[in-house]
Amino acid sequence: MTNLALKERKPPCIKTVGNPLILGAGGWKIFEHFGVIAELKEQGIVHGTVLGVSAGATAGAFITSGHDVVVAQEAFLKIVRSGIDMGTMSGSFRLADPVTMAYGGALSLRNFFASLENDFALKFADDFQVLTCDLMTREPIVLTNKNCTLNVALTAATAVPGLFQPEWVFVGGRMRLLGDGALYHYSPTEFTKGPAIVSKFRPASQFPRQTRKLFTMVNNWEPGMDIPGAMADLMSRYGFKSAEDFVKFWRAMLGMYMTGREIFLPFAGNNRYVDPEKHLVIESGLPDVGALSPDIDEAKCFEMIEDGKREARAAVLAAKADGRFCECE
């Protein structure tokens, strides 16, 4: 009888209006979120409270501030078009206390988020939550407009260990050093009520196209393989006739490293599972895009947006076909 009851038990009802939306961690895969959010709107699904983790918190800040997702999309496309160079990085250098710099180095995203907040009139809405992680205790800490400012919340939420500085925040009765919420979980569901709509990402499984040949040879090395030749071939693509060529090559090498870390040794661990029986899970992600890779281009961004739309459409239509959507309270 117990087994029969388990087989006949239906997953929780997903409402077309009001289910929480969880936007998971994923760096540059934020473009997948943009596609997912756009498709949910196209399908007539209106979310309720938004919980954002890392990059998902940034996307959440835009949509809970009243912006259409296209506004966020264009803001980040502008960043991709401008590229990453020493000029843009220098604006992120920040002296901090020794503990903060030991965890996150010399770069902080505080100025970046202050600029976004100012340019787009972002606000910390009542229906928006940001997940961070206490770096000392590994406890999950949810920030709201009741206990934190938006700038500090987003800076802490995206503070990948070893890359960006965390933030000291007085919460829970004491000062805590808060960093990337993905250290706890990439897309946690226990901080929202009832079944949620969860936009989460697959980790990268391939190296970027422009560096894949070189890494494959290194990984499968045998006597006689022309690895120096492969390296020379890769370098010849960039010309090295200008400073811009050196920057492009540097970004490609850094992209290979960041993607390799995601495949083999993720900065924030790999706690990603969400129960698809309890929640509507939309999992997207291109295999050759690392979350922290700096060498993505505009074309790849649009690929991610379309992938997010496609995966969201498939998940919603499958849930509708299974009778998971209802008008229950």
Side-chain angles (χ1 to χ4, degrees), residues 29-286:
K29 297 179 187 182
I30 191 173
F31 286 96
E32 300 271 358
H33 280 324
F34 298 153
V36 168
I37 294 166
E39 185 61 31
L40 289 175
K41 182 178 179 180
E42 184 70 20
Q43 294 290 333
I45 297 172
V46 181
H47 60 78
T49 300
V50 176
L51 173 71
V53 187
S54 198
T58 307
F62 274 87
I63 62 173
T64 57
S65 294
H67 291 298
D68 188 89
V69 70
V70 174
V71 175
Q73 178 180 307
E74 287 302 316
F76 278 83
L77 281 171
K78 183 179 179 181
I79 295 170
V80 170
R81 294 182 189 117
S82 68
I84 298 175
D85 55 32
M86 292 308 295
T88 56
M89 288 181 65
S90 63
S92 298
F93 282 110
R94 171 173 164 256
L95 288 176
D97 64 272
V99 177
T100 296
M101 295 191 72
Y103 271 100
L107 298 180
S108 169
L109 293 176
R110 187 184 289 184
N111 289 341
F112 169 72
F113 285 117
S115 178
L116 281 185
E117 192 173 358
N118 181 65
D119 293 346
F120 296 95
L122 301 182
K123 59 185 180 181
F124 211 153
D126 291 338
D127 60 350
F128 182 40
Q129 300 174 308
V130 176
L131 182 77
T132 62
C133 183
D134 186 323
L135 297 179
M136 304 294 188
T137 65
R138 291 302 176 97
E139 295 175 79
I141 303 295
V142 176
L143 300 178
T144 69
N145 60 10
K146 302 293 192 299
N147 58 17
C148 194
T149 64
L150 182 61
N151 176 271
V152 170
L154 295 180
T155 303
T158 53
V160 180
L163 295 181
F164 300 114
Q165 292 176 2
E167 289 283 335
W168 287 102
V169 180
F170 186 83
V171 61
R174 62 186 177 87
M175 292 297 293
R176 296 175 182 267
L177 189 61
L178 302 183
D180 196 328
L183 287 164
Y184 173 73
H185 195 291
Y186 281 72
S187 314
T189 56
E190 64 263 44
F191 305 107
T192 56
K193 295 181 180 180
I197 300 170
V198 183
S199 176
K200 64 188 292 286
F201 305 129
R202 304 181 190 94
S205 58
Q206 299 176 5
F207 281 84
R209 181 183 62 256
Q210 59 269 37
T211 58
R212 200 175 300 158
K213 177 182 176 182
L214 174 63
F215 189 86
T216 300
M217 291 184 69
V218 172
N219 194 46
N220 300 294
W221 183 83
E222 293 179 3
M225 280 189 172
D226 186 17
I227 292 178
M231 186 67 179
D233 178 62
L234 177 65
M235 294 176 69
S236 69
R237 300 182 190 182
Y238 297 93
F240 292 99
K241 298 178 181 178
S242 66
E244 184 179 357
D245 292 333
F246 281 96
V247 170
K248 288 180 179 178
F249 180 73
W250 170 78
R251 289 173 63 191
M253 292 296 97
L254 186 57
M256 183 172 73
Y257 169 73
M258 291 297 187
T259 304
R261 282 296 304 264
E262 183 168 324
I263 295 172
F264 300 111
L265 189 63
F267 284 96
N270 216 10
N271 193 10
R272 300 173 183 268
Y273 179 74
V274 177
D275 190 344
E277 291 296 314
K278 295 180 179 179
H279 308 278
L280 176 59
V281 178
I282 302 169
E283 187 174 41
S284 59
L286 300 178

Side-chain angles (χ1 to χ4, degrees), residues 284-297:
S284 59
L286 300 178
D288 60 345
V289 175
L292 299 173
S293 179
D295 62 335
I296 62 169
D297 56 22

